[in-house]
Amino acid sequence: MTPAAVVKQRGWNDRLPPENAYKPRPGLSRDKRTAEQDKAAGGRYRRAVPLGEGRYARASILLRLYRSTRRIRAYLRWSVSGNTEERYVCDVDGPTRAANLAAAWSEAREAGMVVDEPIPENSSASSMSVRAVMTANKGKDTKPELLLRSALHRRGLRYRVGIRPLPNLRRTADVVFPKAKVAVFVDGCFWHGCPQHYRPAKKQGQKWQEKIQANRERDATTNIALKEAGWAVVRVWEHEEVDDAAERIEDIVSALYR
């Protein structure tokens, strides 16, 4: 045992761990708790508990403080046929909840308690990480869209959502400022071929390359059609910092209102 570890354990024997080392933030929604577990595990598909016969359950890590020993213990929890199963994973002593969740998921994986969920036979994705991106894609009200709309609203901007800037053009913008004639599109990194994050699929690569190229061409024709009709087009990648994107949009809208 290293001297640093001895000091850490001795400190824990003298006092209780801080609450932020094991307690979730107050008011954390179910979706955010799920996202917290996904991030700590390295992806939702990495939270799979094998049940046998090709079946899997999605697990979570529960951090529980034992005041008598001043220790935080991590437990793996999952449901089978409506019944909750729980299994001890390890003790954790990190300074934050995020660190302790990540440490517990790592230990659970090394112990074989959880595995990567396999790709379904009918899936065209090259990996579960690629499939997660594909299945998370929605036509509207995606997480990046909601975050951007909230940031714009906080800046006092008012807009319409999910409408066609030009009624005769079958193109729906995510955020529209009709009076300023500004159309905002929030583009997913995978589906629109982000130059920073797009990675070509290995399985049926030609098929997906053609699909994404078609999306790029559609984006380009949309931009041209709107600009020719006097509209300003703003495209925001899903990976962009939401406040930076909101500021850019605010500047454009403010300039065109004058």
Side-chain angles (χ1 to χ4, degrees):
M1 185 177 295
T2 65
V6 172
V7 171
K8 183 179 291 185
Q9 289 191 0
R10 186 175 300 158
W12 277 37
N13 287 334
D14 294 338
R15 64 183 186 279
L16 289 173
E19 289 190 351
N20 66 355
Y22 61 95
K23 276 190 175 183
R25 295 197 310 272
L28 204 63
S29 67
R30 182 176 180 179
D31 286 346
K32 288 186 178 180
R33 288 193 184 214
T34 298
E36 178 188 48
Q37 294 284 341
D38 290 345
K39 182 177 181 180
R44 185 167 301 187
Y45 65 96
R46 308 205 78 192
R47 295 166 50 192
V49 176
L51 303 177
E53 299 180 352
R55 297 181 303 126
Y56 299 87
R58 183 161 291 127
S60 295
I61 291 290
L62 171 69
L63 300 179
R64 185 178 290 148
L65 172 67
Y66 286 82
R67 293 181 176 273
S68 60
T69 59
R70 297 180 174 84
R71 290 181 180 276
I72 300 173
R73 291 191 169 182
Y75 294 85
L76 193 70
R77 301 186 77 185
W78 67 97
S79 294
V80 181
S81 302
N83 297 318
T84 300
E85 303 284 341
E86 184 173 295
R87 184 176 175 186
Y88 170 75
V89 179
C90 62
D91 285 15
V92 290
D93 58 1
T96 65
R97 175 176 167 84
N100 286 327
L101 287 175
W105 277 113
S106 178
E107 184 68 25
R109 178 168 299 279
E110 289 185 13
M113 299 180 189
V114 292
V115 298
D116 287 0
E117 187 177 347
I119 306 173
E121 292 182 1
N122 61 352
S123 175
S124 58
S126 59
S127 67
M128 279 302 294
S129 58
V130 171
R131 185 172 187 270
V133 173
M134 294 177 180
T135 56
N137 182 70
K138 299 190 295 182
K140 62 179 181 178
D141 294 338
T142 63
K143 183 177 179 180
E145 288 176 28
L146 295 175
L147 290 173
L148 180 61
R149 278 151 48 182
S150 295
L152 293 171
H153 196 276
R154 288 196 302 271
R155 291 171 177 267
L157 299 177
R158 298 299 178 260
Y159 46 80
R160 297 189 65 186
V161 175
I163 66 169
R164 295 181 184 180
L166 300 177
N168 296 329
L169 181 67
R170 295 183 60 184
R171 301 291 193 277
T172 300
D174 299 309
V175 177
V176 179
F177 298 87
K179 291 184 178 179
K181 298 186 73 172
V182 176
V184 180
F185 298 85
V186 182
D187 294 336
C189 290
F190 180 83
W191 292 106
H192 294 262
C194 167
Q196 184 175 342
H197 296 108
Y198 172 65
R199 297 294 182 272
K202 295 179 181 178
K203 189 176 181 180
Q204 298 186 16
Q206 183 64 31
K207 169 188 171 182
W208 288 111
Q209 186 175 0
E210 291 173 357
K211 170 66 176 174
I212 291 165
Q213 182 59 33
N215 288 342
R216 288 172 170 169
E217 292 173 359
R218 180 184 174 91
D219 292 343
T221 58
T222 299
N223 294 349
I224 293 170
L226 288 174
K227 289 176 181 177
E228 288 179 346
W231 282 74
V233 179
V234 182
R235 290 198 173 268
V236 178
W237 289 112
E238 66 173 328
H239 70 261
E240 287 189 52
E241 288 291 335
V242 66
D243 287 333
D244 292 344
E247 182 178 1
R248 177 157 58 95
I249 295 166
E250 181 182 26
D251 290 344
I252 294 172
V253 171
S254 299
L256 293 176
Y257 262 129
R258 294 172 184 171

